[in-house]
Amino acid sequence: MFRLHDVSYAYGGSQTGVAALSHVSLDVAQGEFRWLLGPSGAGKSSLLSILSLEVQASSGMVEILGVPVRQARRAGLARLRRRIGAVKQDFGLLPDMSVFDNVALPLRLQHRVEAEIAHEVHAIMKWVGLEHRLEALPPQLSGGEQQRVAIARAVIYRPALLVADEPTNALDERQAGRLMRMFHRLAELGTTIVVATHNDAIVAKYPAPTIELLHGHLVRDHG
Amino acid sequence: MARQRYHDGLALRQALPGRFLPFLVGSMAFLAALALAGGIAAHGLSQRWTHGAGAVTTVQVPSPTDPATATAAMGQTPATRIDAVLATIAATPGITGTHRLSDAELRALLAPWIEQTGDASLPLPAVIELHTAPGQDVAASLLPRLQAQAPGVLMEHDSVWSDRLAALAGSLQACAGLAVLVVMTVAVCVVMAATRAGLLTRRQAIGLIHALGATDSYISGRFATRVGLLALWGGAWGSVLALPMLLALSHLAAPFTAMGDIPATTPDWRDVHAWAALLPPALLWMLVIVPPAAGLTGWATTQLTVRAWLRRLP
Ligand SMILES: Nc1ncnc2c1ncn2[C@@H]1O[C@H](COP(=O)(O)OP(=O)(O)OP(=O)(O)O)[C@@H](O)[C@H]1O
Ligand SMILES: [Mg+2]
């Protein structure tokens, strides 16, 4: 769960920078699933970056999984990041590391035993249908395959908060449906999920409460 | 195996290649070892010049067995001049040692002249060697008192030279210290530059594992361990390569240092103990300490560099 109060964000500093978010306030409870909608440039990715602690809000209050972000120390933020999964719009895979190693990365950072890591990686990669591409490098995969690797890495450690930026844009309809069913199951298990998308068809097919942005302003918070 | 190599995405073997840094740190360690050796040698020489033969004051007492012309302290009247002089010297503060040359020593010293005159019964003065504490000028106050007891007493003091040599040795030590400081500064800069280059080549991976929740101390620790080990390795090579150089220099310097009893011949190359005996213990210790010092410096520098760099990430 997370809370934003009067949050603004500007790329390149609040004085001179490009305003991406203005005075956004939100309150999303544990285990909720939310669509994040808005036209291109509305600030969806910026909002998700704040939620995944990739950037700090320029002003306002951000509280994630009960931790007030501005007051937290660096080590505390690192701990918090280990409870957040993020699927980036550009996938964020390391090009010189195998698919296996990319997906195993969060578990390795938690110093899990290698045998356990191998077991979990195989299970999740089987689920996304890529268990035969474990030794490939990300640039050798198609866009949809890379997207599935990014999704696998974001959910492998069962995060308490999952933010996904256009996670279905490179997937076919069948895969997108599988993904939506997994998201709903994760939400049932208590993961708070925010999914940004342009895909009106999928939103219509899987109705859920919606957050809508326009020019960095919150225009709909239907919770 | 690729999986092992990229383990956590930092790929440090690629970010911090295993040759460049040890080579540079090794060169620095080599230079530092030479500078430190110079400092240690200068220290040894200054010790010898201020405490050793250099600071000796020679007192000559003619007709030593004649009765003393004045009483010594404590109201007693020593029978002879030499006894009176010795008693006075013994009661003087600032004198760290006294040695009266025996007749044999004296004859050995004067052999060329005695042989020339051919007179073995020539009356000899008594000669006393005084060792004075550095910087103490006892001669000025002591001489009139000795002359009162034994007319014709002569004193020869060479503290001017020993003081000058000590000052020279001190300057050499300061230069060596400065050289070590400069070398360390350069080494720190080299490590910082190498670390920054490594951070830049793995910028994307660092950003990613930071986003996945890696702590600053984890990332800086991984870099620092790698750099520390490379610096330790380089420092070990620097020390090992400095060793033959220092042995050669010690061999040349042996006659001038406190270790005057070292044979002037070159030891057999197989005789490790003879070679080790050539080096002053301080020098041996220095060679042992240089590699861990290099490793520790590299480790600490990298910790600080990486942590400062990571501050740019939220
Ligand atoms: N790195 C950046 N530097 C400067 N401005 C940026 C940067 N990233 C985004 N912006 C600007 O911030 C605003 C919001 O961008 P953001 O990426 O959050 O939009 P979005 O809703 O995710 O769009 P899209 O649907 O195209 O992904 C836009 O005006 C964009 O130009
Ligand atoms: Mg976006």
Side-chain angles (χ1 to χ4, degrees):
Chain A
M1 90 272 218
F2 61 87
R3 286 201 305 143
L4 306 188
H5 182 73
D6 199 23
V7 167
S8 297
Y9 182 71
Y11 287 95
S14 49
Q15 259 77 50
T16 56
V18 185
L21 289 175
S22 310
H23 309 289
V24 173
S25 296
L26 270 174
D27 197 337
V28 175
Q30 189 191 347
E32 266 197 70
F33 179 99
R34 293 286 190 105
W35 290 116
L36 176 57
L37 305 178
S40 183
K44 302 185 296 295
S45 296
S46 308
L47 180 61
L48 294 187
S49 303
I50 287 175
L51 293 178
S52 63
L53 301 178
E54 211 173 307
V55 297
Q56 283 242 22
S58 309
S59 66
M61 192 277 301
V62 178
E63 189 187 297
I64 290 170
L65 302 174
V67 179
V69 169
R70 201 172 292 281
Q71 284 87 330
R73 292 148 61 98
R74 287 181 70 82
L77 289 179
R79 246 191 327 274
L80 193 51
R81 286 188 188 97
R82 276 177 243 152
R83 300 173 60 203
I84 303 171
V87 182
K88 306 277 299 161
Q89 200 165 3
D90 60 4
F91 312 143
L93 301 174
L94 281 181
D96 54 359
M97 243 166 82
S98 71
V99 164
F100 181 98
D101 286 332
N102 266 286
V103 175
L105 206 45
L107 302 181
R108 290 212 168 118
L109 291 173
Q110 292 172 3
H111 307 293
R112 298 269 285 274
V113 185
E114 278 298 318
E116 209 178 296
I117 290 175
H119 179 77
E120 302 234 351
V121 171
H122 280 99
I124 192 80
M125 291 312 283
K126 192 164 179 202
W127 188 85
V128 298
L130 284 174
E131 73 273 31
H132 57 293
R133 301 306 305 274
L134 289 178
E135 294 307 324
L137 297 177
Q140 297 164 345
L141 302 181
S142 74
E145 287 172 332
Q146 289 185 38
Q147 188 150 42
R148 283 184 277 155
V149 174
I151 291 164
R153 189 183 63 195
V155 300
I156 195 168
Y157 52 114
R158 291 188 198 91
L161 172 63
L162 178 65
V163 298
D165 206 345
E166 319 270 6
T168 57
N169 67 350
L171 304 184
D172 62 37
E173 213 169 311
R174 196 180 62 87
Q175 288 165 346
R178 272 165 66 85
L179 183 63
M180 289 313 302
R181 283 194 293 281
M182 180 186 69
F183 281 169
H184 278 117
R185 208 172 67 214
L186 282 174
E188 276 165 23
L189 292 172
T191 299
T192 307
I193 302 178
V194 181
V195 179
T197 188
H198 285 130
N199 188 337
D200 293 336
I202 201 164
V203 176
K205 195 167 173 192
Y206 299 93
T210 298
I211 300 162
E212 194 170 338
L213 292 174
L214 185 61
H215 301 309
H217 292 273
L218 186 67
V219 292
R220 187 150 66 117
D221 176 14
H222 170 66
Chain B
M1 200 166 117
R3 191 168 296 175
Q4 284 302 316
R5 204 169 47 214
Y6 289 126
H7 187 61
D8 62 0
L10 289 178
L12 291 177
R13 278 163 201 270
Q14 184 188 319
L16 299 162
R19 301 239 172 98
F20 173 73
L21 209 54
F23 172 73
L24 283 173
V25 172
S27 311
M28 300 293 154
F30 179 77
L31 292 176
L34 292 190
L36 280 168
I40 290 171
H43 180 71
L45 290 180
S46 86
Q47 287 290 303
R48 182 168 161 77
W49 287 332
T50 48
H51 297 300
V56 162
T57 302
T58 317
V59 179
Q60 258 187 57
V61 185
S63 317
T65 48
D66 287 6
T69 51
T71 55
M74 283 143 327
Q76 287 181 331
T77 314
T80 61
R81 293 181 178 185
I82 182 65
D83 288 342
V85 164
L86 283 172
T88 304
I89 289 170
T92 306
I95 291 172
T96 53
T98 317
H99 171 62
R100 183 185 171 181
L101 268 59
S102 68
D103 269 7
E105 284 174 307
L106 214 50
R107 284 188 191 283
L109 203 64
L110 300 175
W113 294 277
I114 294 174
E115 261 155 39
Q116 254 175 14
T117 57
D119 187 356
S121 63
L122 194 74
L124 290 177
V127 175
I128 306 162
E129 282 182 358
L130 299 184
H131 296 260
T132 52
Q136 294 257 7
D137 189 12
V138 289
S141 60
L142 188 57
L143 186 59
R145 285 190 283 143
L146 296 184
Q147 277 172 338
Q149 294 167 321
V153 163
L154 290 176
M155 237 180 188
E156 250 175 62
H157 186 59
D158 53 3
S159 94
V160 175
W161 276 105
S162 71
D163 286 354
R164 278 183 193 164
L165 289 171
L168 175 65
S171 318
L172 285 175
Q173 270 179 278
C175 284
L178 201 66
V180 170
L181 214 67
V182 169
V183 163
M184 276 187 72
T185 309
V186 173
V188 164
C189 291
V190 163
V191 167
M192 276 171 69
T195 304
R196 289 234 180 85
L199 286 167
L200 280 183
T201 56
R202 298 308 293 170
R203 192 176 33 198
Q204 197 196 355
I206 294 168
L208 179 69
I209 72 168
H210 173 81
L212 290 175
T215 56
D216 291 2
S217 54
Y218 174 78
I219 297 172
S220 63
R222 291 270 288 127
F223 271 85
T225 305
R226 169 96 177 144
V227 170
L229 287 174
L230 291 179
L232 178 72
W233 178 238
W237 271 109
S239 251
V240 165
L241 293 180
L243 187 64
M245 200 103 161
L246 296 183
L247 282 172
L249 289 177
S250 297
H251 186 54
L252 289 175
F256 305 105
T257 63
M259 310 187 58
D261 52 338
I262 290 295
T265 56
T266 307
D268 186 75
W269 63 272
R270 279 161 304 195
D271 191 349
V272 178
H273 291 290
W275 280 109
L278 255 178
L279 289 178
L283 215 57
L284 272 176
W285 272 115
M286 177 211 67
L287 286 175
V288 171
I289 285 167
V290 160
L296 210 64
T297 309
W299 182 86
T301 306
T302 308
Q303 277 279 357
L304 294 177
T305 310
V306 176
R307 277 168 190 268
W309 192 86
L310 287 174
R311 291 264 143 201
R312 72 187 55 197
L313 302 175

